[in-house]
Amino acid sequence: MPANDLVSAPIQGQPRTGPYLPPATQPVRTVVWVIHLALPMLGLWLLLANHDDLNIEWHDNFGHFLLIIAVAGINVVLGAMIGQASARRADARLLLVSLVFLSSAGFFLLHGLATPQIILPKGSYGFDLSQPIGLLIASVFAAVSALPLNERAARAVLRSQIWLRGGLVLVLVGWGLASLVPGFTALSDPSPPLGAGLGGFEPVGVVLYAAATAMMFRLHRSRPAAMLISLVTAYALLAEAMIAGMYRHNWHLSWWLWHLLLTLAFVFVAYSAHLQFRREGSSAGLFDSVALSATVRKIRAEYEEALEELVGHLRSRAESRVPVATRLAGKFGLTEGQAAVLDRAGAALAGERELSERLAALVDTGNQTRVGLPERELLTLALDRVRQAYGDVRITLVADGRVAMGAREYGPRDFPGNQPVRLESTIVHPLTVKGRLAGALEVPVGRTAQDAALAATLASQLSISLENARLYQELSTLFRQYMSPDVANSLLADPRTAALGGELVELTALFADLKGFTSFSERAAPGEIVEMLNRYHTAAVPIILSNGGTIVQFVGDALLALFNAPARQADHAAAAARAALAMQEAAEEIAAGTAGYPRFRIGINTGLALVGNIGSPELRGFNAMGDCVNVAARLEGVAEPGTVVIGQSTFDQIIPPPTVRPLGDLALKGKEEPVRAYVLSGLP
């Protein structure tokens, strides 16, 4: 895997495969690049502006031939390498770039072969026109290569590659025969001393190269890479070579200048490829940074897939990593050093993944500690989640003062100062509740450097969760024996609800007592009285709770229940009525089996009341105060044994209307206005 792809990162939301250039160095590189391009043009201007003094003639046929052969050879090698990369990546841009180098190199070579006194005795039209024609053809390939080709266009280019390469070869062979075989065509005839030109087509090539340079530079800005900037420089120098070639003073310094520009264009790319090859030790990804964006994304996806495969292999803890490393090295053309780097990167990433998963498991374990969650359920949920991240984790609770963990047993003395026990591949931490041993946690260690610390944190988290679960269970059991479940749940969830104070709430109050309790108490033994009360309340309490009521007090044989406080109910009046009728049915069954037992009488009323904690900072209770509660108590007082009396406000809120017997307007104690009441006998 090329090193530049290993360190690549998106820039401005696009993928990048070249080595990252820090922001501070980019302006410096840009200045150097501009100087490289400006100096040749400055030299051309000096040569042409002072023709007689500086633009001297230097005639060296054999030196010219050797220069062309060397530069063309380098260019052919570059074109072939880029062509191989285009075939390996199936990338249209790399194919077109390879044709830029091959076409310019081919015609440059033909220009060298046409050097006077090498094959032909004198200069010829072929000698003058070979390189301008080659540069013009290459400019077309360069301009198309810089375009952001879409998928359809790229496929069309790849389908035409045989025709493009074959056509280029035929053109080169035909041009060589025409320009090197004496008398074959006019191209082998001697040309004028000032040389032949393209008849004004040179500016077309300059424009195409300029466009290709601008587009390639824009691509370099989005994903900086040394190979891309070298290609930008090469395209710009080829444009300058066309400009310099327009001044056809053969064998003068201005004529040699375009040879130098061509040489620099190819050498820039060759040198960048050489440096990258030395850095990476492989030619597999030398030109990946030049490829189309779709190809770059595909390459990155392949690398990510390979890295994920290696990470998965490392995390599975297979005995040998050689098969995977060998296969990946062969697939991506990695050197031994690159495979080792990839192996270390995979191991580091696998460790980071495991660390992240274990930290997430710790967070989830803490989130599972909730009010009312049973201890066994809590530990089961925590164990299932923890095993996903930590592997074979085991939790065991104390039994008979010992913790049996597989074939081993642990007691308080095995964990002095609550320190863990370190085994060969696991570590055993004590789980404590209120400072005492409550269980043990066994966690595998050795996979990451943080295993021991994570295991200690996990044990601490589970100890807190276990202690909280038991504390909640104790509080819940204690509270529910002395108050309504709604009040208990509210206090457990938010202790601030125990503060003194209250709020005005519309509620339905239910008062119930046993008519005849006083006379029964006079003739019954204390134990029999308690038994009788417990039987009635044991039947009444579940009925009230199942209908959403809250019992706020027991006073001897009487009880007060509230509906719509503290828990809200939309149909609290109907719920209170259902509960009252069910209580009377249950009371009749109790009284029917025992002679002399008293009967319930119940009063219900709906209205506003002040609901909250009433008392002092030292002792308080949840209660309701208000006229509606007082009326409910008065209605209970006028009810006959075995009946339920409801006020007008309750009757109005039960829809459809209940079955009742009107009692008319009652004058109740403490009320100036009469209260209309009804005897409730049934609900729709």
Side-chain angles (χ1 to χ4, degrees):
M1 184 181 302
N4 56 352
D5 285 297
L6 281 174
V7 300
S8 65
I11 300 295
Q12 298 178 353
Q14 299 185 17
R16 164 175 75 79
T17 57
Y20 174 63
L21 302 179
T25 66
Q26 291 188 29
V28 176
R29 289 174 181 264
T30 303
V31 170
V32 173
W33 179 71
V34 170
I35 291 174
H36 285 166
L37 299 180
L39 286 178
M41 295 311 293
L42 177 62
L44 178 63
W45 176 77
L46 290 174
L47 292 174
L48 297 178
N50 301 275
H51 182 275
D52 297 332
D53 298 331
L54 297 176
N55 197 21
I56 62 175
E57 182 179 358
W58 179 37
H59 206 111
D60 187 349
N61 292 1
F62 190 68
H64 175 269
F65 175 72
L66 292 180
L67 172 66
I68 301 301
I69 294 300
V71 175
I74 294 174
N75 206 12
V76 169
V77 171
L78 280 175
M81 291 177 65
I82 299 174
Q84 289 178 353
S86 73
R88 183 171 60 254
R89 300 299 189 193
D91 185 82
R93 175 175 288 152
L94 290 176
L95 170 65
L96 293 168
V97 172
S98 71
L99 293 175
V100 172
F101 282 83
L102 291 175
S103 58
S104 57
F107 279 95
F108 199 36
L109 178 61
L110 293 176
H111 169 73
L113 294 176
T115 302
Q117 302 177 5
I118 300 299
I119 294 178
L120 298 175
K122 295 182 179 180
S124 64
Y125 283 100
F127 175 69
D128 291 336
L129 295 178
S130 291
Q131 191 51 37
I133 289 291
L135 286 175
L136 184 61
I137 294 174
S139 69
V140 177
F141 290 131
V144 179
S145 74
L147 294 173
L149 302 176
N150 57 32
E151 187 175 351
R152 182 178 178 181
R155 285 200 302 267
V157 171
L158 291 175
R159 285 196 301 267
S160 306
Q161 60 181 308
I162 296 178
W163 296 101
L164 292 172
R165 288 190 172 117
L168 179 60
V169 170
L170 289 177
V171 169
L172 288 171
V173 171
W175 186 272
L177 292 174
S179 61
L180 296 177
V181 178
F184 191 74
T185 66
L187 289 176
S188 59
D189 295 342
S191 66
L194 294 180
L198 296 180
F201 278 95
E202 290 91 346
V204 175
V206 174
V207 170
L208 291 176
Y209 279 124
T213 301
M215 288 187 286
M216 279 294 183
F217 185 74
R218 183 178 180 182
L219 179 63
H220 166 72
R221 291 291 301 272
S222 65
R223 44 179 158 114
M227 188 58 66
L228 268 176
I229 195 64
S230 298
L231 193 61
V232 170
T233 306
Y235 283 177
L237 290 173
L238 291 178
E240 293 184 0
M242 288 211 75
I243 295 173
M246 294 169 64
Y247 302 93
R248 303 173 193 91
H249 300 282
N250 288 355
W251 303 106
H252 288 74
L253 290 185
S254 59
W255 181 82
W256 282 99
L257 179 61
W258 67 257
H259 292 74
L260 176 63
L261 291 173
L262 283 172
T263 302
L264 290 176
F266 304 146
V267 167
F268 265 116
V269 178
Y271 184 66
S272 294
H274 171 68
L275 290 181
Q276 192 165 324
F277 178 82
R278 286 188 59 186
R279 183 175 64 250
E280 300 175 10
S282 171
S283 62
L286 290 181
F287 305 100
D288 286 350
S289 59
V290 182
L292 293 169
S293 297
T295 305
V296 171
R297 289 193 295 269
K298 180 181 177 182
I299 294 171
R300 290 171 61 84
E302 290 179 358
Y303 291 163
E304 290 171 2
E305 181 181 353
L307 190 56
E308 289 293 338
E309 181 181 352
L310 181 60
V311 168
H313 188 72
L314 293 170
R315 296 179 70 186
S316 67
R317 285 303 182 229
E319 294 181 359
S320 174
R321 294 189 306 226
V322 175
V324 173
T326 302
R327 187 171 63 80
L328 292 180
K331 180 179 179 180
F332 295 103
L334 306 183
T335 63
E336 213 175 293
Q338 289 172 339
V341 170
L342 179 62
D343 199 18
R344 291 195 297 271
L349 183 56
E352 290 297 324
R353 291 276 180 84
E354 291 191 8
L355 179 60
S356 298
E357 290 181 6
R358 295 184 178 190
L359 290 173
L362 284 175
V363 173
D364 291 343
T365 301
N367 291 337
Q368 288 170 354
T369 305
R370 301 192 299 272
V371 175
L373 192 64
E375 175 183 312
R376 291 288 177 180
E377 183 180 350
L378 170 68
L379 292 179
T380 299
L381 290 174
L383 188 60
D384 290 342
R385 179 63 183 91
V386 166
R387 280 179 172 170
Q388 297 173 14
Y390 288 79
D392 187 18
V393 177
R394 291 190 290 175
I395 300 175
T396 305
L397 298 180
V398 166
D400 298 327
R402 304 289 293 176
V403 179
M405 188 73 72
R408 297 173 178 267
E409 282 194 355
Y410 301 93
R413 294 183 179 180
D414 296 310
F415 304 105
N418 288 332
Q419 292 300 310
V421 176
R422 187 67 182 260
L423 303 178
E424 182 178 352
S425 59
T426 62
I427 189 168
V428 181
H429 279 272
L431 301 180
T432 60
V433 173
K434 296 180 180 179
R436 302 186 64 180
L437 182 67
L441 167 73
E442 185 175 15
V443 183
V445 293
R447 298 176 66 171
T448 69
Q450 296 83 9
D451 278 356
L454 289 173
T457 305
L458 177 60
S460 176
Q461 180 65 64
L462 287 175
S463 293
I464 294 172
S465 300
L466 183 60
E467 184 166 346
N468 286 344
R470 293 185 176 181
L471 178 59
Y472 286 143
Q473 186 62 37
E474 292 175 5
L475 292 174
S476 178
T477 302
L478 180 64
F479 282 179
R480 282 176 173 79
Q481 290 175 345
Y482 288 93
M483 62 183 65
S484 174
D486 288 332
V487 179
N489 289 336
S490 178
L491 287 172
L492 288 172
D494 185 4
R496 292 174 297 178
T497 58
L500 293 174
E503 59 178 332
L504 202 61
V505 176
E506 183 186 68
L507 55 80
T508 298
L510 181 152
F511 263 102
D513 77 342
L514 293 170
K515 179 64 173 178
F517 174 72
T518 302
S519 58
F520 178 82
S521 300
E522 291 176 351
R523 65 177 182 268
E528 189 178 356
I529 297 172
V530 173
E531 180 186 356
M532 181 270 295
L533 286 175
N534 287 341
R535 289 184 65 184
Y536 277 119
H537 291 325
T538 300
V541 168
I543 293 173
I544 294 173
L545 297 181
S546 64
N547 281 280
T550 298
I551 301 173
V552 295
Q553 60 181 244
F554 291 98
V555 182
D557 63 321
L559 64 84
L560 169 61
L562 305 178
F563 293 81
N564 202 39
R568 297 294 183 257
Q569 292 174 275
D571 58 343
H572 52 90
R578 283 194 300 270
L581 293 175
M583 287 171 59
Q584 292 292 25
E585 290 180 8
E588 286 298 326
E589 293 179 3
I590 295 172
T594 306
Y597 265 28
R599 298 293 196 277
F600 269 132
R601 55 180 180 176
I602 301 174
I604 300 175
N605 192 48
T606 302
L608 293 175
L610 184 65
V611 179
N613 298 300
I614 300 168
S616 69
E618 293 79 13
L619 185 63
R620 68 198 69 183
F622 183 81
N623 214 326
M625 296 184 301
D627 182 66
C628 89
V629 180
N630 295 334
V631 171
R634 299 293 184 263
L635 293 176
E636 175 260 330
V638 302
E640 296 295 328
T643 65
V644 178
V645 177
I646 64 174
Q648 182 67 48
S649 57
T650 303
F651 176 85
D652 292 339
Q653 290 204 16
I654 300 176
I655 300 174
T659 303
V660 297
R661 176 170 56 87
L663 293 177
D665 294 334
L666 303 180
L668 301 180
K669 183 180 179 180
K671 294 289 292 181
E672 294 182 359
E673 299 293 331
V675 176
R676 183 162 297 178
Y678 305 87
V679 176
L680 178 67
S681 58
L683 294 172

